[in-house]
mmCIF file of all heavy atoms in Angstrom:
data_model
loop_
_atom_site.group_PDB
_atom_site.id
_atom_site.type_symbol
_atom_site.label_atom_id
_atom_site.label_comp_id
_atom_site.label_asym_id
_atom_site.label_seq_id
_atom_site.Cartn_x
_atom_site.Cartn_y
_atom_site.Cartn_z
ATOM 1 N N GLY A 27 -65.789 -172.556 -137.381
ATOM 2 C CA GLY A 27 -66.053 -173.943 -137.018
ATOM 3 C C GLY A 27 -65.429 -174.909 -138.006
ATOM 4 O O GLY A 27 -64.809 -175.902 -137.622
ATOM 5 N N ARG A 28 -65.574 -174.611 -139.275
ATOM 6 C CA ARG A 28 -64.973 -175.472 -140.306
ATOM 7 C C ARG A 28 -63.447 -175.470 -140.209
ATOM 8 O O ARG A 28 -62.808 -176.509 -140.323
ATOM 9 C CB ARG A 28 -65.421 -175.046 -141.697
ATOM 10 C CG ARG A 28 -66.863 -175.407 -141.982
ATOM 11 C CD ARG A 28 -67.251 -175.092 -143.428
ATOM 12 N NE ARG A 28 -68.601 -175.526 -143.683
ATOM 13 C CZ ARG A 28 -68.930 -176.756 -144.082
ATOM 14 N NH1 ARG A 28 -68.003 -177.656 -144.284
ATOM 15 N NH2 ARG A 28 -70.194 -177.082 -144.286
ATOM 16 N N LEU A 29 -62.875 -174.286 -139.998
ATOM 17 C CA LEU A 29 -61.419 -174.197 -139.884
ATOM 18 C C LEU A 29 -60.900 -174.934 -138.650
ATOM 19 O O LEU A 29 -59.821 -175.528 -138.696
ATOM 20 C CB LEU A 29 -60.968 -172.739 -139.869
ATOM 21 C CG LEU A 29 -60.985 -172.038 -141.224
ATOM 22 C CD1 LEU A 29 -60.770 -170.534 -141.064
ATOM 23 C CD2 LEU A 29 -59.922 -172.630 -142.149
ATOM 24 N N ALA A 30 -61.657 -174.904 -137.553
ATOM 25 C CA ALA A 30 -61.238 -175.644 -136.363
ATOM 26 C C ALA A 30 -61.091 -177.131 -136.679
ATOM 27 O O ALA A 30 -60.144 -177.787 -136.239
ATOM 28 C CB ALA A 30 -62.235 -175.432 -135.227
ATOM 29 N N VAL A 31 -62.002 -177.646 -137.479
ATOM 30 C CA VAL A 31 -61.954 -179.057 -137.864
ATOM 31 C C VAL A 31 -60.867 -179.297 -138.912
ATOM 32 O O VAL A 31 -60.052 -180.211 -138.784
ATOM 33 C CB VAL A 31 -63.333 -179.518 -138.390
ATOM 34 C CG1 VAL A 31 -63.260 -180.932 -138.958
ATOM 35 C CG2 VAL A 31 -64.379 -179.430 -137.276
ATOM 36 N N GLU A 32 -60.816 -178.472 -139.936
ATOM 37 C CA GLU A 32 -59.897 -178.685 -141.060
ATOM 38 C C GLU A 32 -58.436 -178.438 -140.697
ATOM 39 O O GLU A 32 -57.534 -178.911 -141.397
ATOM 40 C CB GLU A 32 -60.305 -177.801 -142.231
ATOM 41 C CG GLU A 32 -61.655 -178.198 -142.806
ATOM 42 C CD GLU A 32 -62.217 -177.190 -143.787
ATOM 43 O OE1 GLU A 32 -61.509 -176.230 -144.170
ATOM 44 O OE2 GLU A 32 -63.393 -177.362 -144.180
ATOM 45 N N THR A 33 -58.183 -177.713 -139.604
ATOM 46 C CA THR A 33 -56.805 -177.507 -139.144
ATOM 47 C C THR A 33 -56.389 -178.556 -138.123
ATOM 48 O O THR A 33 -55.212 -178.635 -137.762
ATOM 49 C CB THR A 33 -56.638 -176.110 -138.501
ATOM 50 O OG1 THR A 33 -57.530 -176.000 -137.394
ATOM 51 C CG2 THR A 33 -56.870 -174.996 -139.502
ATOM 52 N N GLY A 34 -57.348 -179.322 -137.626
ATOM 53 C CA GLY A 34 -57.057 -180.326 -136.608
ATOM 54 C C GLY A 34 -57.142 -179.788 -135.191
ATOM 55 O O GLY A 34 -56.897 -180.522 -134.230
ATOM 56 N N ILE A 35 -57.492 -178.524 -135.029
ATOM 57 C CA ILE A 35 -57.664 -177.951 -133.694
ATOM 58 C C ILE A 35 -58.790 -178.690 -132.963
ATOM 59 O O ILE A 35 -58.707 -178.955 -131.766
ATOM 60 C CB ILE A 35 -57.992 -176.436 -133.790
ATOM 61 C CG1 ILE A 35 -56.794 -175.649 -134.320
ATOM 62 C CG2 ILE A 35 -58.484 -175.874 -132.457
ATOM 63 C CD1 ILE A 35 -55.637 -175.512 -133.370
ATOM 64 N N PHE A 36 -59.849 -179.039 -133.671
ATOM 65 C CA PHE A 36 -60.989 -179.757 -133.102
ATOM 66 C C PHE A 36 -61.372 -180.890 -134.056
ATOM 67 O O PHE A 36 -62.263 -180.737 -134.892
ATOM 68 C CB PHE A 36 -62.179 -178.806 -132.882
ATOM 69 C CG PHE A 36 -63.283 -179.416 -132.073
ATOM 70 C CD1 PHE A 36 -63.223 -179.412 -130.685
ATOM 71 C CD2 PHE A 36 -64.379 -179.995 -132.682
ATOM 72 C CE1 PHE A 36 -64.247 -179.978 -129.931
ATOM 73 C CE2 PHE A 36 -65.412 -180.549 -131.933
ATOM 74 C CZ PHE A 36 -65.340 -180.542 -130.551
ATOM 75 N N PRO A 37 -60.694 -182.025 -133.948
ATOM 76 C CA PRO A 37 -61.026 -183.140 -134.851
ATOM 77 C C PRO A 37 -62.403 -183.731 -134.531
ATOM 78 O O PRO A 37 -62.820 -183.767 -133.373
ATOM 79 C CB PRO A 37 -59.916 -184.155 -134.586
ATOM 80 C CG PRO A 37 -59.376 -183.806 -133.249
ATOM 81 C CD PRO A 37 -59.611 -182.340 -133.035
ATOM 82 N N LEU A 38 -63.081 -184.156 -135.567
ATOM 83 C CA LEU A 38 -64.378 -184.817 -135.398
ATOM 84 C C LEU A 38 -64.156 -186.324 -135.368
ATOM 85 O O LEU A 38 -63.584 -186.897 -136.297
ATOM 86 C CB LEU A 38 -65.320 -184.439 -136.541
ATOM 87 C CG LEU A 38 -65.666 -182.964 -136.664
ATOM 88 C CD1 LEU A 38 -66.616 -182.729 -137.831
ATOM 89 C CD2 LEU A 38 -66.265 -182.424 -135.373
ATOM 90 N N TYR A 39 -64.602 -186.944 -134.280
ATOM 91 C CA TYR A 39 -64.420 -188.385 -134.146
ATOM 92 C C TYR A 39 -65.535 -188.995 -133.310
ATOM 93 O O TYR A 39 -66.330 -188.286 -132.693
ATOM 94 C CB TYR A 39 -63.056 -188.717 -133.534
ATOM 95 C CG TYR A 39 -62.842 -188.195 -132.130
ATOM 96 C CD1 TYR A 39 -63.280 -188.905 -131.017
ATOM 97 C CD2 TYR A 39 -62.180 -186.994 -131.912
ATOM 98 C CE1 TYR A 39 -63.076 -188.433 -129.740
ATOM 99 C CE2 TYR A 39 -61.968 -186.514 -130.633
ATOM 100 C CZ TYR A 39 -62.417 -187.244 -129.550
ATOM 101 O OH TYR A 39 -62.216 -186.756 -128.283
ATOM 102 N N GLU A 40 -65.544 -190.321 -133.308
ATOM 103 C CA GLU A 40 -66.470 -191.096 -132.487
ATOM 104 C C GLU A 40 -65.683 -192.192 -131.773
ATOM 105 O O GLU A 40 -64.726 -192.726 -132.329
ATOM 106 C CB GLU A 40 -67.520 -191.795 -133.352
ATOM 107 C CG GLU A 40 -68.459 -190.878 -134.088
ATOM 108 C CD GLU A 40 -69.380 -191.645 -135.004
ATOM 109 O OE1 GLU A 40 -68.912 -192.103 -136.060
ATOM 110 O OE2 GLU A 40 -70.557 -191.781 -134.648
ATOM 111 N N ILE A 41 -66.101 -192.478 -130.573
ATOM 112 C CA ILE A 41 -65.622 -193.660 -129.858
ATOM 113 C C ILE A 41 -66.881 -194.463 -129.529
ATOM 114 O O ILE A 41 -67.661 -194.091 -128.661
ATOM 115 C CB ILE A 41 -64.838 -193.299 -128.586
ATOM 116 C CG1 ILE A 41 -63.663 -192.373 -128.922
ATOM 117 C CG2 ILE A 41 -64.346 -194.573 -127.888
ATOM 118 C CD1 ILE A 41 -62.946 -191.810 -127.695
ATOM 119 N N ASP A 42 -67.071 -195.509 -130.297
ATOM 120 C CA ASP A 42 -68.275 -196.331 -130.171
ATOM 121 C C ASP A 42 -67.885 -197.667 -129.549
ATOM 122 O O ASP A 42 -67.197 -198.472 -130.192
ATOM 123 C CB ASP A 42 -68.901 -196.529 -131.555
ATOM 124 C CG ASP A 42 -70.300 -197.113 -131.500
ATOM 125 O OD1 ASP A 42 -70.700 -197.627 -130.440
ATOM 126 O OD2 ASP A 42 -70.993 -197.057 -132.532
ATOM 127 N N HIS A 43 -68.284 -197.854 -128.285
ATOM 128 C CA HIS A 43 -67.932 -199.066 -127.539
ATOM 129 C C HIS A 43 -66.425 -199.335 -127.603
ATOM 130 O O HIS A 43 -65.988 -200.450 -127.893
ATOM 131 C CB HIS A 43 -68.742 -200.265 -128.031
ATOM 132 C CG HIS A 43 -70.191 -200.136 -127.717
ATOM 133 N ND1 HIS A 43 -71.086 -199.498 -128.553
ATOM 134 C CD2 HIS A 43 -70.903 -200.518 -126.626
ATOM 135 C CE1 HIS A 43 -72.289 -199.520 -128.000
ATOM 136 N NE2 HIS A 43 -72.210 -200.126 -126.827
ATOM 137 N N GLY A 44 -65.647 -198.288 -127.386
ATOM 138 C CA GLY A 44 -64.194 -198.408 -127.323
ATOM 139 C C GLY A 44 -63.464 -198.317 -128.650
ATOM 140 O O GLY A 44 -62.241 -198.291 -128.683
ATOM 141 N N ARG A 45 -64.193 -198.272 -129.757
ATOM 142 C CA ARG A 45 -63.553 -198.191 -131.079
ATOM 143 C C ARG A 45 -63.517 -196.741 -131.546
ATOM 144 O O ARG A 45 -64.560 -196.117 -131.732
ATOM 145 C CB ARG A 45 -64.281 -199.074 -132.084
ATOM 146 C CG ARG A 45 -64.095 -200.550 -131.817
ATOM 147 C CD ARG A 45 -64.633 -201.434 -132.943
ATOM 148 N NE ARG A 45 -65.822 -200.930 -133.589
ATOM 149 C CZ ARG A 45 -67.071 -201.260 -133.283
ATOM 150 N NH1 ARG A 45 -67.300 -202.096 -132.307
ATOM 151 N NH2 ARG A 45 -68.093 -200.752 -133.940
ATOM 152 N N TYR A 46 -62.317 -196.224 -131.749
ATOM 153 C CA TYR A 46 -62.102 -194.837 -132.174
ATOM 154 C C TYR A 46 -62.049 -194.754 -133.686
ATOM 155 O O TYR A 46 -61.415 -195.586 -134.341
ATOM 156 C CB TYR A 46 -60.768 -194.336 -131.588
ATOM 157 C CG TYR A 46 -60.334 -192.979 -132.089
ATOM 158 C CD1 TYR A 46 -60.716 -191.821 -131.424
ATOM 159 C CD2 TYR A 46 -59.527 -192.844 -133.214
ATOM 160 C CE1 TYR A 46 -60.316 -190.564 -131.871
ATOM 161 C CE2 TYR A 46 -59.126 -191.597 -133.665
ATOM 162 C CZ TYR A 46 -59.519 -190.468 -132.983
ATOM 163 O OH TYR A 46 -59.120 -189.232 -133.427
ATOM 164 N N LYS A 47 -62.735 -193.744 -134.236
ATOM 165 C CA LYS A 47 -62.594 -193.488 -135.667
ATOM 166 C C LYS A 47 -62.831 -192.004 -135.938
ATOM 167 O O LYS A 47 -63.699 -191.374 -135.327
ATOM 168 C CB LYS A 47 -63.517 -194.360 -136.508
ATOM 169 C CG LYS A 47 -64.948 -193.915 -136.537
ATOM 170 C CD LYS A 47 -65.738 -194.695 -137.575
ATOM 171 C CE LYS A 47 -67.107 -194.055 -137.708
ATOM 172 N NZ LYS A 47 -67.871 -194.526 -138.797
ATOM 173 N N LEU A 48 -62.024 -191.463 -136.832
ATOM 174 C CA LEU A 48 -62.232 -190.091 -137.276
ATOM 175 C C LEU A 48 -63.483 -190.039 -138.132
ATOM 176 O O LEU A 48 -63.698 -190.907 -138.978
ATOM 177 C CB LEU A 48 -61.043 -189.604 -138.114
ATOM 178 C CG LEU A 48 -59.806 -189.143 -137.363
ATOM 179 C CD1 LEU A 48 -58.676 -188.851 -138.350
ATOM 180 C CD2 LEU A 48 -60.089 -187.923 -136.523
ATOM 181 N N SER A 49 -64.298 -189.034 -137.921
ATOM 182 C CA SER A 49 -65.497 -188.857 -138.739
ATOM 183 C C SER A 49 -65.161 -188.196 -140.056
ATOM 184 O O SER A 49 -65.787 -188.460 -141.077
ATOM 185 C CB SER A 49 -66.523 -187.991 -138.005
ATOM 186 O OG SER A 49 -66.799 -188.511 -136.744
ATOM 187 N N MET A 50 -64.178 -187.312 -140.009
ATOM 188 C CA MET A 50 -63.727 -186.600 -141.202
ATOM 189 C C MET A 50 -62.212 -186.493 -141.122
ATOM 190 O O MET A 50 -61.675 -186.081 -140.103
ATOM 191 C CB MET A 50 -64.336 -185.202 -141.278
ATOM 192 C CG MET A 50 -65.811 -185.214 -141.456
ATOM 193 S SD MET A 50 -66.414 -183.537 -141.672
ATOM 194 C CE MET A 50 -68.135 -183.891 -141.900
ATOM 195 N N ASP A 51 -61.565 -186.873 -142.188
ATOM 196 C CA ASP A 51 -60.110 -186.829 -142.227
ATOM 197 C C ASP A 51 -59.689 -185.769 -143.243
ATOM 198 O O ASP A 51 -59.958 -185.906 -144.431
ATOM 199 C CB ASP A 51 -59.557 -188.194 -142.622
ATOM 200 C CG ASP A 51 -58.040 -188.246 -142.586
ATOM 201 O OD1 ASP A 51 -57.420 -187.302 -142.075
ATOM 202 O OD2 ASP A 51 -57.489 -189.244 -143.075
ATOM 203 N N PHE A 52 -59.084 -184.726 -142.744
ATOM 204 C CA PHE A 52 -58.607 -183.659 -143.616
ATOM 205 C C PHE A 52 -57.090 -183.743 -143.703
ATOM 206 O O PHE A 52 -56.369 -183.055 -142.989
ATOM 207 C CB PHE A 52 -59.046 -182.284 -143.090
ATOM 208 C CG PHE A 52 -60.519 -182.060 -143.209
ATOM 209 C CD1 PHE A 52 -61.359 -182.252 -142.134
ATOM 210 C CD2 PHE A 52 -61.070 -181.679 -144.419
ATOM 211 C CE1 PHE A 52 -62.724 -182.048 -142.244
ATOM 212 C CE2 PHE A 52 -62.430 -181.469 -144.552
ATOM 213 C CZ PHE A 52 -63.259 -181.658 -143.459
ATOM 214 N N SER A 53 -56.630 -184.638 -144.532
ATOM 215 C CA SER A 53 -55.192 -184.773 -144.746
ATOM 216 C C SER A 53 -54.873 -184.263 -146.141
ATOM 217 O O SER A 53 -55.531 -184.664 -147.095
ATOM 218 C CB SER A 53 -54.762 -186.231 -144.629
ATOM 219 O OG SER A 53 -54.954 -186.676 -143.322
ATOM 220 N N PRO A 54 -53.920 -183.388 -146.268
ATOM 221 C CA PRO A 54 -53.174 -182.756 -145.185
ATOM 222 C C PRO A 54 -54.020 -181.696 -144.490
ATOM 223 O O PRO A 54 -54.942 -181.131 -145.082
ATOM 224 C CB PRO A 54 -51.983 -182.127 -145.884
ATOM 225 C CG PRO A 54 -52.470 -181.841 -147.270
ATOM 226 C CD PRO A 54 -53.478 -182.919 -147.581
ATOM 227 N N LEU A 55 -53.673 -181.451 -143.233
ATOM 228 C CA LEU A 55 -54.373 -180.431 -142.459
ATOM 229 C C LEU A 55 -54.050 -179.036 -142.981
ATOM 230 O O LEU A 55 -52.937 -178.784 -143.446
ATOM 231 C CB LEU A 55 -53.960 -180.505 -140.989
ATOM 232 C CG LEU A 55 -54.337 -181.775 -140.238
ATOM 233 C CD1 LEU A 55 -53.705 -181.772 -138.845
ATOM 234 C CD2 LEU A 55 -55.835 -181.928 -140.150
ATOM 235 N N ARG A 56 -55.015 -178.142 -142.861
ATOM 236 C CA ARG A 56 -54.762 -176.744 -143.195
ATOM 237 C C ARG A 56 -53.930 -176.130 -142.067
ATOM 238 O O ARG A 56 -54.016 -176.571 -140.921
ATOM 239 C CB ARG A 56 -56.073 -175.994 -143.361
ATOM 240 C CG ARG A 56 -56.851 -176.485 -144.588
ATOM 241 C CD ARG A 56 -58.204 -175.888 -144.685
ATOM 242 N NE ARG A 56 -58.123 -174.488 -145.107
ATOM 243 C CZ ARG A 56 -59.165 -173.781 -145.509
ATOM 244 N NH1 ARG A 56 -60.364 -174.324 -145.548
ATOM 245 N NH2 ARG A 56 -59.015 -172.535 -145.871
ATOM 246 N N PRO A 57 -53.128 -175.116 -142.362
ATOM 247 C CA PRO A 57 -52.317 -174.483 -141.307
ATOM 248 C C PRO A 57 -53.211 -173.822 -140.255
ATOM 249 O O PRO A 57 -54.222 -173.195 -140.598
ATOM 250 C CB PRO A 57 -51.510 -173.415 -142.055
ATOM 251 C CG PRO A 57 -51.656 -173.712 -143.503
ATOM 252 C CD PRO A 57 -52.886 -174.545 -143.681
#
């Protein structure tokens, strides 16, 4: 689960009333 997020396969984000934001930014992404 952590690797899915940290590789960008499953990014964690919110769209609150049309406003998009990443919940966690793992830059650079893991391979």
Side-chain angles (χ1 to χ4, degrees):
R28 287 186 176 273
L29 284 169
V31 173
E32 294 169 8
T33 59
I35 292 289
F36 191 84
L38 298 180
Y39 62 85
E40 295 175 285
I41 304 172
D42 192 345
H43 293 88
R45 290 189 325 265
Y46 173 90
K47 77 170 189 170
L48 280 173
S49 306
M50 295 185 178
D51 184 10
F52 291 98
S53 294
L55 295 173
R56 293 173 74 167

